[in-house]
């Protein structure tokens, strides 16, 4: 039977809803807080929005990797631990390894770039290990990354001898701290360089997901792994690769966290980050059963989380209530999204 | 008639603008098996759901034993004496047989389950079905599909149902389990139950039912006694036109061999298989479900390990190869499990159709989406796939159109050898005829086609040669005119007596 072709109006409406739907929630929450804080007027100020977007950078960077993982039907609970491990490794590198480098090399001011490369690399390694364990042992990602969530955090604590690793201020070039500064320097950047970096990476990832073979394969694996296998996709190898990508994103998030902390390696930092990252992807329309999710949705998800937290502060809502509100919003957002798509999760 | 147990008159049901049922009347009496026949989409499942109380009819009346019957859900339907045996079994696999039989109708005394009573009731029901061999404490997941179905029937008996509706009960049963089920249905009929038997398989309907009702486009278009009609007439009612050629033959000539199996073993049972598949021929693999046919073709394609033997594809010989390698050698595989494995239900037609051949549209790893879209649209019109467009998720398509997408995938990947496992399972007669014609045309263009099917008329209708598999052993492939349906069944079931 030929299904009825929906009218042009209806199709336009559907299209508009698909593209702008995620923004509707954001607009709604913004309007709500603007109304609640209408007497102070601080909430809608440019400065405050600079703060909000800077606060999305770390979660957002990690969430880009998580988006790919969730599209491919997986999950990564070890993101927060990876971030902590990355900050510790970077700090230890600057403190212990850098003095051993030859003087000629140090004159080139390569310490920080090397540390950044190391941080991203460590993240990638953590991700690749996740992927290798998931593919090799054929255990569900939830369990494997629950294990590495503990293990990476433990490794970070052990390397740091259970304490915060400080790096002397002169070792950190001033540009590094500015990546996530609320007031950008130079001014014409409008927002912190980290925000621009996040936007650039997002665009690259969105193009990648749509136009590259591995990008399409990720959707296939998440939608139906058996079909992917049947179609000749090397599923185990793809999984290692996807978790490696997720790890790289977590590593970069770790570098940003390192900058955000003012250059200390903190084995206890970013605890619970993984859940905020997963929440952002899911609020943005990602499905934990795989095959669904978009970069734009994830970014909006991150913004919704940041606006919620920031708005609660401005509205003078106590911390405990904030957590309740955020929890409720996550459930409402995902329920609405499922209704919008006309199916149950 | 006055002795009708269940009577439906003028039942209407629509969903939005779609008329799902457009005036259906049907009745079934005590001691009668009525076959409900119709293509997919004719309204059979809607009717089922109204009977079970999942939907409420917009208009029309239903009477059960002379009293108005309007259940508000499956539980109420069961309480009033109407039980359903669904195509996809509704059992809790981790629970025991007796727990499943008494699920929802547990006997309780002061808050405690009366387990001894349960055991007795379950054993009694299984005794009634003449299958005391099924142990009440066995886990349901450890039973075969046939035995699981008996558990469902036992559950219906325990609920004292007087009307039992079977929805395509044999679609996943072996011939032997099906025979066993027919015997049980006959026994239930003699006990005075009214049975509604929904099925696609017309030959099977003749074996179980006495009367029939044909549904088409939501209307009951014909009814009567099966003994007073023939299959062609019924098919005519089903499709609403002259059945014409269900098996259109496109002339084709076998050419040189492209796929050869020598001493090939995919499982531990049976003798090693030898088989030669030529260009321009359609070769049928007949046999009972579980005989090892699916395993054989899956192993050739690399989805199961190869235990022993050689595979020669276009003069290149080897053992096991991955699906990726097979696809590159020009082999295409169609899975029997369309929803579980064959298609990614949530993804668009264009994605589903192009995954194996996606590299063709990539330059340096980047896809040319326009080029891909154009080709998908061409295949969609070539195979007459009814959809809103290449972006529609395949989950929203009818079974026949889903299967066409799965077939189009093999054509898009430019496969020369097509391994098709049950290519027409669960699709309507119209789509079947289209797929048969397509296979003929492909053979005429020099493709080699291997069809695994449990539907004998289909194999006889389209194949050039047929080989029969029984308990892991494969017979020689003989031209189709040297087989009869009777002879195939004889060979297919022979293994049962052999050891």
């Amino acid at each position: 039977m030929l299904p009825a072709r929906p009218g042009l109006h209806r199709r336009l409406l559907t299209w508009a809803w698909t593209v702008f739907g995620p923004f509707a929630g954001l607009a709604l929450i913004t309007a709500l807080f603007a109304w609640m804080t209408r007497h102070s007027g601080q909430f809608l100020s440019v400065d405050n929005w600079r703060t909000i977007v800077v606060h999305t950078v770390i979660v957002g960077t990690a969430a880009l990797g998580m988006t790919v993982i969730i599209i491919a039907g997986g999950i990564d609970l070890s993101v927060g631990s990876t971030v902590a491990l990355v900050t510790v490794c970077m700090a230890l590198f600057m403190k212990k390894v850098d003095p051993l480098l030859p003087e000629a090399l140090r004159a080139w001011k390569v310490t920080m770039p090397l540390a950044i490369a190391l941080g991203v690399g460590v993240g990638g390694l953590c991700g690749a290990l996740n992927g290798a364990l998931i593919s090799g042992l054929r255990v569900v990602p939830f369990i494997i990354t629950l294990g590495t969530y503990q293990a990476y955090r433990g490794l970070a604590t052990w390397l740091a001898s259970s304490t915060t690793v400080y790096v002397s201020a002169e070792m950190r070039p001033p540009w590094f701290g500015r990546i996530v500064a609320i007031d950008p320097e130079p001014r014409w950047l409008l927002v912190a360089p980290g925000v621009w970096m996040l936007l650039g990476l997002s665009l690259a990832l969105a193009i990648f997901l749509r136009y590259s073979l591995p990008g399409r394969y990720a959707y296939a694996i998440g939608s139906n792994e058996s079909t992917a296998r049947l179609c000749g996709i090397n599923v185990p190898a793809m999984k290692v690769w996807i978790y490696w990508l997720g790890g790289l994103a977590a590593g970069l998030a770790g570098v940003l966290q390192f900058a955000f902390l003012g250059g200390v390696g903190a084995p206890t930092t970013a605890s619970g980050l993984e859940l905020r990252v997963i929440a952002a992807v899911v609020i943005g329309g990602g499905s934990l059963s795989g095959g669904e999710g978009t970069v734009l949705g994830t970014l909006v998800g991150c913004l919704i989380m940041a606006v919620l937290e920031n708005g609660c502060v401005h509205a003078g809502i106590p911390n405990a209530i904030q957590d309740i509100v955020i929890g409720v919003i996550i459930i409402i957002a995902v329920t609405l999204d499922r209704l919008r798509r006309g199916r149950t999760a | 008639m006055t002795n009708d147990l269940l009577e439906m008159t003028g039942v209407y049901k629509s969903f939005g603008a779609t008329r799902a049922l457009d005036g259906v009347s049907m009745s079934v009496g005590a001691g009668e098996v009525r076959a409900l026949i119709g293509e997919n989409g004719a309204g059979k499942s809607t009717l089922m759901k109204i009977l079970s109380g999942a939907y409420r009819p917009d208009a029309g009346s239903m009477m059960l034993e002379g009293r108005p019957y309007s259940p508000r859900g499956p539980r109420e339907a069961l309480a009033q004496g109407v039980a359903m045996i669904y195509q996809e079994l509704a059992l809790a696999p981790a629970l025991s047989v007796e727990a499943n039989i008494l699920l929802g109708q547990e006997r309780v005394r002061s808050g405690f389950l009366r387990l001894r009573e349960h055991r007795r009731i379950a054993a009694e029901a299984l005794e009634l079905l003449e299958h005391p061999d099924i142990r009440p404490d066995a886990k349901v997941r450890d039973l075969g599909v046939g035995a699981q179905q008996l558990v469902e029937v036992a559950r219906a008996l325990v609920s004292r149902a007087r009307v039992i509706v079977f929805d395509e009960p044999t679609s996943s049963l072996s011939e032997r389990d099906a025979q066993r089920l027919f015997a049980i249905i006959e026994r239930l009929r003699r006990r005075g139950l009214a049975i509604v038997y929904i099925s696609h398989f017309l030959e099977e309907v003749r074996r179980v039912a006495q009367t029939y009702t044909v549904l088409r486009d939501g209307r009951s278009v014909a009814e009567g006694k099966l003994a007073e009609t023939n299959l062609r007439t019924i098919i005519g009612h089903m499709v609403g036109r002259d059945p014409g050629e269900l098996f259109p033959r496109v002339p084709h000539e076998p050419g040189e061999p492209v796929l050869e199996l020598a001493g090939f073993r995919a499982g531990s049972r049976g003798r090693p298989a030898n088989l030669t598949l030529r260009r321009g021929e359609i070769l049928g693999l007949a046999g009972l479900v579980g005989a090892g046919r699916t395993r054989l073709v899956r192993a050739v394609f690399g989805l199961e390990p190869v235990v022993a033997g050689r595979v020669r594809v276009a003069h290149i010989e080897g053992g096991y190869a991955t699906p990726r390698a097979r696809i590159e050698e020009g082999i295409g595989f169609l899975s029997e499990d369309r929803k579980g494995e064959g298609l990614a239900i949530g993804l668009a037609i264009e994605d589903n159709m192009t995954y194996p051949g996606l590299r063709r549209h990539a330059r340096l790893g980047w896809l040319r989406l326009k080029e891909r879209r154009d080709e998908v649209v061409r295949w969609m019109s070539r195979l007459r796939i009814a959809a809103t467009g290449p972006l529609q998720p395949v989950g929203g398509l009818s079974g026949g159109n889903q299967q066409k997408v799965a077939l189009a995938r093999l054509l898009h990947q430019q496969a020369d050898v097509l391994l098709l496992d049950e290519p027409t399972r669960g699709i309507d007669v119209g789509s079947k005829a289209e797929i048969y014609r397509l296979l003929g045309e492909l053979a005429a263009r020099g493709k080699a086609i291997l069809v695994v099917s449990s539907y004998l008329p289909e194999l006889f209708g389209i194949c050039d040669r047929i080989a029969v598999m029984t308990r892991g052993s494969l017979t020689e492939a003989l031209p189709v005119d040297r087989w009869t349906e009777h002879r195939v069944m004889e060979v297919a079931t022979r293994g049962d007596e052999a050891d």
Side-chain angles (χ1 to χ4, degrees):
Chain A
M1 257 181 302
L2 203 73
R5 204 175 162 77
L8 183 67
H9 276 99
R10 211 191 142 79
R11 271 184 296 153
L12 261 177
L13 213 68
T14 316
W15 178 81
W17 188 225
T18 318
V19 175
F20 298 109
F23 287 100
L26 182 61
L28 200 71
I29 286 167
T30 308
L32 180 71
F33 282 114
W35 181 76
M36 281 171 76
T37 59
R38 62 192 177 283
H39 300 300
S40 79
Q42 287 296 304
F43 177 71
L44 286 178
S45 73
V46 174
D47 274 344
N48 189 45
W49 279 82
R50 280 209 181 103
T51 313
I52 290 177
V53 291
V54 168
H55 277 135
T56 61
V57 170
I58 292 172
V59 171
T61 307
L64 290 183
M66 189 71 83
T67 305
V68 185
I69 290 175
I70 284 181
I71 285 173
I75 193 135
D76 184 356
L77 298 176
S78 70
V79 170
S81 306
T82 303
V83 165
L85 182 61
V86 166
T87 63
V88 168
C89 286
M90 287 178 75
L92 284 176
F93 170 81
M94 294 174 77
K95 198 168 160 180
K96 299 270 172 69
V97 182
D98 184 70
L100 306 176
L101 293 178
E103 197 60 41
L105 205 60
R106 275 162 66 193
W108 284 67
K109 299 185 177 169
V110 291
T111 305
M112 204 63 223
L114 278 179
I116 292 174
L118 175 82
V120 176
V122 166
L125 217 57
C126 290
L129 182 62
N130 285 338
L133 288 173
I134 290 162
S135 284
L137 304 179
R138 295 189 193 171
V139 175
V140 290
F142 186 93
I143 301 297
I144 293 289
T145 59
L146 187 64
T148 55
Y149 155 85
Q150 288 281 352
Y152 296 161
R153 179 76 66 180
L155 184 62
T157 314
W158 180 56
L159 286 177
S161 312
S162 308
T163 172
T164 309
V165 183
Y166 291 96
V167 177
S168 61
E170 66 265 24
M171 296 196 68
R172 285 180 271 122
W175 58 264
F176 185 64
R178 282 189 217 127
I179 295 178
V180 285
I182 287 168
D183 289 312
E185 212 170 315
R187 286 297 286 186
W188 53 261
L189 275 175
L190 299 174
V191 286
V195 177
W196 291 113
M197 187 196 73
L198 175 62
L199 286 176
L201 286 177
S202 303
L203 186 66
L205 183 66
I207 292 172
F208 175 82
L209 281 176
R210 187 168 161 77
Y211 289 98
S212 79
L213 283 175
R216 299 315 303 173
Y217 289 167
Y219 280 97
I221 292 172
S223 188
N224 189 341
E225 206 172 310
S226 306
T227 309
R229 204 162 99 86
L230 183 90
C231 290
I233 297 170
N234 187 342
V235 177
M238 272 298 297
K239 279 190 182 169
V240 174
W241 191 85
I242 284 166
Y243 281 89
W244 173 71
L245 203 66
L248 286 184
L252 194 56
V255 171
L256 294 169
Q257 181 78 359
F258 186 67
F260 189 76
L261 292 175
V264 295
T268 54
T269 194
S271 91
L273 178 72
E274 55 282 332
L275 297 185
R276 290 155 51 87
V277 169
I278 292 167
V281 176
V282 168
I283 289 175
S287 162
L288 285 187
S289 39
E292 283 173 41
T294 60
V295 173
L296 184 65
T298 295
L299 286 185
V300 173
C302 292
L303 267 178
I304 287 180
M305 301 270 290
V307 169
L308 271 174
E309 283 166 26
N310 180 282
C312 283
V313 172
H314 278 268
I317 299 173
N319 273 341
I321 308 290
Q322 266 182 47
D323 287 345
I324 297 175
V325 171
I326 292 172
V328 170
I329 297 281
I330 290 175
I331 295 173
I332 291 177
V334 175
T335 310
L336 283 181
D337 191 61
R338 293 295 174 255
L339 286 179
R340 183 166 71 91
R341 291 151 194 258
R343 70 181 91 136
T344 48
Chain B
M1 269 185 277
T2 46
N3 66 339
D4 282 340
L5 251 177
L6 177 73
E7 197 175 355
M8 308 176 85
T9 15
V11 173
Y12 288 83
K13 177 76 191 173
S14 43
F15 301 98
T18 326
R19 270 273 166 86
L21 291 184
D22 197 9
V24 170
S25 301
M26 187 193 80
S27 65
V28 56
E32 175 185 343
V33 179
R34 177 170 292 269
L36 187 61
I37 310 168
E39 290 194 64
N40 280 345
K44 289 176 309 203
S45 38
T46 311
L47 193 66
M48 276 282 284
K49 286 188 172 144
I50 284 180
L51 267 178
S52 73
Y55 295 154
R56 320 214 63 181
D58 298 337
S61 80
M62 294 197 287
M63 308 286 277
L64 185 67
E65 296 187 306
R67 284 192 300 272
Y69 168 71
S70 60
R72 272 169 299 182
R75 223 188 139 87
E76 235 182 74
L78 199 61
Q80 298 190 35
V82 179
M84 307 274 155
I85 313 287
Y86 290 101
Q87 189 174 0
E88 264 127 39
L89 298 176
L91 294 170
L95 297 185
S96 68
V97 167
E98 63 183 25
N100 268 286
I101 291 178
L102 284 131
L103 203 61
Q105 18 187 358
E106 289 85 355
R107 308 294 192 263
V108 181
R109 184 190 293 153
S110 38
F112 289 94
L113 291 176
R114 301 170 60 187
L115 292 178
R116 204 173 308 208
E117 175 94 353
H118 282 189
R119 176 68 48 96
R120 190 184 59 73
I121 294 173
E124 245 177 52
L126 292 168
E127 192 88 36
L128 250 173
L129 296 174
E130 289 183 13
H131 279 282
D133 51 306
I134 299 175
R135 290 183 32 218
D137 58 345
K139 290 246 191 307
V140 159
R141 65 161 168 249
D142 297 333
L143 302 179
V145 192
Q148 291 187 0
Q149 205 157 38
L150 293 182
V151 173
E152 288 235 24
V153 179
R155 183 198 277 172
L157 285 182
V158 168
S159 72
R160 303 188 189 287
R162 278 151 304 158
V163 180
I164 302 186
V165 183
F166 287 89
D167 182 18
E168 306 238 359
T170 59
S171 59
S172 51
L173 293 191
S174 69
E175 177 65 21
R176 199 149 53 110
D177 281 339
Q179 294 293 352
R180 195 155 80 158
L181 181 71
F182 297 155
I184 284 166
I185 290 178
E186 178 59 21
R187 206 165 301 136
L188 297 176
R189 184 185 77 79
R190 291 228 187 96
R191 285 175 58 86
L193 272 74
I195 313 262
V196 178
Y197 190 92
I198 301 178
S199 181
H200 265 118
F201 302 109
L202 298 180
E203 293 81 0
E204 166 182 308
V205 158
R206 290 183 78 96
R207 282 198 277 177
V208 237
Q210 294 82 47
T211 55
Y212 69 93
T213 297
V214 178
L215 281 192
R216 186 177 78 235
D217 301 332
R219 285 188 207 111
S220 37
V221 290
E223 65 156 15
K225 290 202 166 65
L226 277 163
E228 295 164 4
T229 182
N230 60 44
L231 288 187
R232 280 185 73 88
T233 316
I234 296 182
I235 293 178
H237 286 308
M238 281 169 74
V239 295
R241 53 187 145 90
D242 181 24
E245 290 254 307
L246 179 58
F247 301 110
R249 287 207 69 107
V250 183
H252 49 267
E253 272 308 307
E256 85 263 29
V258 279
L259 176 72
E260 287 171 82
L261 305 183
F264 188 85
R265 297 179 79 104
S268 51
R269 294 182 311 164
R271 294 184 305 274
N274 296 301
L275 188 76
T276 304
L277 181 66
R278 298 169 182 284
R279 279 190 183 286
E281 87 165 337
I282 305 179
L283 197 158
L285 270 191
L288 303 182
V289 174
R293 299 167 303 168
T294 293
R295 191 164 193 158
L296 179 87
V297 287
R298 290 176 70 86
V300 170
F301 189 67
L303 288 168
E304 307 261 351
V306 173
V307 177
R310 316 297 289 164
V311 182
R312 186 200 289 263
V313 185
H315 306 302
I316 303 160
E317 194 167 292
Y320 171 84
T322 61
R324 164 96 261 142
R326 290 302 184 211
I327 288 170
E328 271 158 20
E329 288 173 353
I331 298 187
F333 173 73
L334 181 92
S335 172
E336 62 171 340
D337 184 2
R338 195 163 58 229
K339 285 183 180 156
E341 179 180 55
L343 295 171
I345 287 301
L347 292 185
I349 293 175
E350 62 173 7
D351 278 323
N352 269 291
M353 203 187 282
T354 58
Y355 271 120
L358 204 53
R359 278 153 202 261
R360 249 188 328 114
H361 301 298
R363 306 285 178 278
L364 304 168
W366 297 99
L367 289 172
R368 304 194 160 184
L369 294 183
K370 176 81 172 64
E371 176 191 301
R372 177 177 82 151
R373 172 87 39 96
D374 290 345
E375 200 172 323
V376 167
V377 168
R378 273 206 301 281
W379 284 119
M380 284 175 69
S381 68
R382 166 82 174 74
L383 268 65
R384 277 180 282 169
I385 295 171
T388 53
L391 287 176
Q392 187 178 2
V394 292
L397 301 179
S398 71
N401 283 306
Q402 286 182 354
Q403 197 68 337
K404 287 184 193 172
V405 172
L407 266 171
R409 172 194 287 159
L410 308 191
L411 304 179
H412 175 268
Q413 85 182 47
Q414 301 173 334
D416 283 326
V417 180
L418 310 182
L419 310 176
L420 311 178
D421 197 356
E422 302 284 359
T424 63
R425 172 181 285 176
I427 68 177
D428 58 275
V429 179
S431 300
K432 275 185 184 174
E434 283 184 64
I435 286 178
Y436 297 145
R437 177 183 298 280
L438 176 71
L439 295 185
E441 286 166 5
L442 291 172
R445 292 201 342 239
K447 307 260 185 200
I449 302 173
L450 184 72
V451 178
V452 173
S453 174
S454 304
Y455 185 49
L456 281 181
E458 160 178 299
L459 288 180
F460 278 88
I462 62 169
C463 291
D464 305 305
R465 291 190 297 155
I466 292 178
V468 182
M469 199 153 197
T470 153
R471 294 206 164 191
S473 299
L474 191 66
T475 68
E476 197 191 337
L478 297 174
V480 75
D481 50 24
R482 291 184 49 194
W483 289 105
T484 60
E485 293 200 19
H486 184 75
R487 178 71 191 136
V488 170
M489 284 322 293
E490 214 170 76
V491 175
T493 49
R494 193 174 50 194
D496 294 340
E497 296 136 33
D499 51 22

